[in-house]
Amino acid sequence: MIHSEESVAAERERTRMRPAIESAPPALAEFTVDVIGSTAEYAERVRHVVAAALDLACTAEFDDEDLPTDGFPDWFTRVSGQGEIADQEFARDGRTAFLDRSGKAKPWSLQNWIYRFDPDEESRGWEFWDVVQVGPAEVRVWVDSWGESFFGSLDLLWVLYTAGAARVEGPSVQGPDVWAAEVSGR
């Protein structure tokens, strides 16, 4: 799917601030995540990494060989194969869980992962929507998948696991009322 400049900018804004209930599309896909450690810290890590990629999507020329990685947290650059293995236990454990789930033999390289956010790249079939705590060690990560239940999400799973997920279930397509109820605590 091709992401427009406007949709990428709106997606970037959603990493910084929860969107208004009435702005939700007709369907959202959710991933239920069992979190290692604090759910608030987990949500912040996911938002930070996705926001850094979206910042590049809004400003960088993706025909460059290597894109700048300064905006990414150190734990994410290390777990994505840049230098030493991550010193953060949540990232190491998440990487192992991702490799087990995906069947991949090696971690996702940072540059390859960043290139999934090229606005002209058609393989990223989702846009970030929200992260909502739903239990003491559980969050739901909501994305706009244009109503599709099957879409390319390994890039999303990479950040979800390495940010500190012990287990990720999904995607499951839901009406926006389910997200709205979770946001409002109903």
Side-chain angles (χ1 to χ4, degrees), residues 5 8 12 22 30 33 36 40 42 50 58 71 79 82 94 114 117 127 140 142-143 145 170 174 183 185:
E5 287 181 26
V8 171
R12 180 173 62 168
E22 58 276 359
E30 59 91 0
V33 180
I36 301 168
Y42 176 84
V50 174
C58 290
V79 79
Q82 305 293 306
I114 292 170
F117 288 82
E127 288 184 356
R140 273 199 242 298
W142 293 90
V143 298
S145 65
Q174 305 287 336
V183 167

Side-chain angles (χ1 to χ4, degrees), residues 31-43 45-46 90 131-141 160-161 163-169:
F31 292 82
T32 301
V33 180
D34 291 341
V35 175
I36 301 168
S38 162
T39 56
E41 290 173 9
Y42 176 84
R45 287 191 295 263
V46 169
F90 68 82
V131 180
V132 180
Q133 180 178 349
V134 293
E138 187 175 76
V139 302
R140 273 199 242 298
V141 177
L160 296 183
Y161 274 109
R167 186 180 63 83
V168 179
E169 292 293 322

